[in-house]
């Protein structure tokens, strides 16, 4: 079975631009979460979606938004890019949203903002 | 913000030796999980320990949890070069916020 897939794998943008990152969860998984991992740090939670509804939001500005589609895939959008948005963006899927649910992570999208 | 700290930040050992990594956290938790990350790519779930558990084993992994000290340790026995990776602890809080809060990680190098 395919794992969590993310596209693109790498992306270079300039300040002020907009970016869309995509994630396809494991088949049967209805929950998708997004994390930002800056170099040398652990991942930080951005959003969680379950059944197309936002279930959680981390401490990120409104420039960050996301959505989940009927097939449970998800997009993360970032507007007005800043240099500090350069990071590895990780998507994770799980069956549901219960405590202790194992999260399966994709390989990530590495974003560089120049 | 990060939940806590892993200690040490970096660890270098020889193949066959044991590796111990520690994690401290700040809030009351429902469970604590350990993840491995190779070369800045995706994370792999290793083991989960619930707040009412004190020790858990999985293969060569042993995890302990001390909720009174808000700390956990991960022991990898008989390490292999393939264990070279960064290891992160992550917590889920009792409030059920349904998000993982990660530490900064320990970078483990196992030399052949």
């Amino acid at each position: 079975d395919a794992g969590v897939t993310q596209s693109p794998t790498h992306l270079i943008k300039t300040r002020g631009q907009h970016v869309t990152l995509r994630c396809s969860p494991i088949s049967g998984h209805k929950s998708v979460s997004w994390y930002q991992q800056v170099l040398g740090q652990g991942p930080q939670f951005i959003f969680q979606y379950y059944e197309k509804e936002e279930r959680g939001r981390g401490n990120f500005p409104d420039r960050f938004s996301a959505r989940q589609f009927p097939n449970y895939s998800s997009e993360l959008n970032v507007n007005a890019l800043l240099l500090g948005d350069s990071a590895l963006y990780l998507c994770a899927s799980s069956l549901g949203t219960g405590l202790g649910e194992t999260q399966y992570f994709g390989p990530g999208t590495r974003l560089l903002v120049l | 913000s990060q939940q806590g700290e892993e200690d040490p930040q970096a660890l270098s050992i020889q193949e066959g030796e044991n590796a111990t990594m520690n994690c401290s956290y700040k809030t009351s938790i429902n469970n604590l999980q350990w993840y491995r990350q190779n070369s800045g790519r995706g994370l792999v779930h290793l083991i989960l320990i619930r707040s009412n558990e004190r020790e858990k084993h999985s293969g060569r992994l042993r995890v302990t949890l001390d909720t009174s000290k808000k700390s956990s340790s991960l022991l990898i026995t008989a390490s292999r070069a393939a264990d070279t990776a960064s290891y992160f602890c992550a917590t889920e809080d009792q409030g059920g916020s349904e998000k993982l809060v990660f530490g900064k990680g320990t970078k483990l190098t196992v030399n052949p």
Side-chain angles (χ1 to χ4, degrees):
Chain A
D1 286 342
V4 177
T5 59
Q6 293 186 243
S7 62
T9 56
H10 294 82
L11 202 52
I12 299 175
K13 292 284 188 179
T14 56
R15 280 177 296 176
Q17 286 190 311
H18 162 270
V19 69
T20 297
L21 310 180
R22 295 177 175 84
C23 171
S24 292
I26 291 172
S27 178
H29 285 194
K30 298 182 177 180
S31 175
V32 169
S33 298
W34 288 94
Y35 291 82
Q36 180 197 64
Q37 186 178 20
V38 174
L39 194 63
Q41 302 290 316
Q44 289 204 12
F45 173 76
I46 310 175
F47 285 110
Q48 183 186 41
Y49 276 78
Y50 177 72
E51 290 279 16
K52 303 183 291 295
E53 291 192 1
E54 183 183 299
R55 295 294 295 268
R57 173 187 283 255
N59 188 24
F60 280 81
D62 291 343
R63 298 184 296 107
F64 289 76
S65 64
R67 56 179 176 168
Q68 187 177 33
F69 299 98
N71 66 353
Y72 303 110
S73 66
S74 178
E75 283 183 354
L76 176 69
N77 295 283
V78 187
N79 292 323
L81 285 166
L82 303 174
L83 296 179
D85 295 331
S86 296
L88 180 68
Y89 287 84
L90 295 162
C91 171
S93 77
S94 59
L95 281 168
T97 61
L99 285 168
E101 287 256 10
T102 299
Q103 303 251 352
Y104 295 86
F105 282 81
T109 293
R110 191 167 296 281
L111 172 66
L112 177 61
V113 182
L114 301 176
Chain B
S1 61
Q2 306 287 170
Q3 163 71 289
E5 299 284 335
E6 279 92 339
D7 167 52
Q9 291 185 344
L11 180 61
S12 182
I13 59 174
Q14 296 299 123
E15 234 176 0
E17 294 181 338
N18 295 340
T20 299
M21 289 159 269
N22 302 297
C23 164
S24 61
Y25 57 91
K26 299 174 184 174
T27 63
S28 295
I29 62 170
N30 176 276
N31 64 74
L32 185 144
Q33 304 175 34
W34 285 90
Y35 284 82
R36 184 185 73 217
Q37 185 177 40
N38 290 86
S39 304
R41 301 304 287 176
L43 287 90
V44 175
H45 182 265
L46 296 176
I47 194 166
L48 177 151
I49 186 166
R50 301 190 188 281
S51 60
N52 62 352
E53 297 176 309
R54 292 296 167 259
E55 187 171 313
K56 204 162 183 180
H57 297 255
S58 177
R60 294 184 296 114
L61 306 180
R62 172 178 168 256
V63 170
T64 63
L65 179 64
D66 186 336
T67 53
S68 66
K69 295 181 179 178
K70 291 187 168 54
S71 67
S72 173
S73 68
L74 171 68
L75 168 68
I76 304 175
T77 60
S79 63
R80 306 166 181 167
D83 294 329
T84 295
S86 291
Y87 292 82
F88 294 90
C89 67
T91 56
E92 280 190 296
D93 65 33
Q94 291 182 337
S97 61
E98 302 164 358
K99 67 179 182 183
L100 292 174
V101 182
F102 285 84
K104 294 183 179 180
T106 291
K107 186 172 174 60
L108 173 66
T109 301
V110 181
N111 301 301

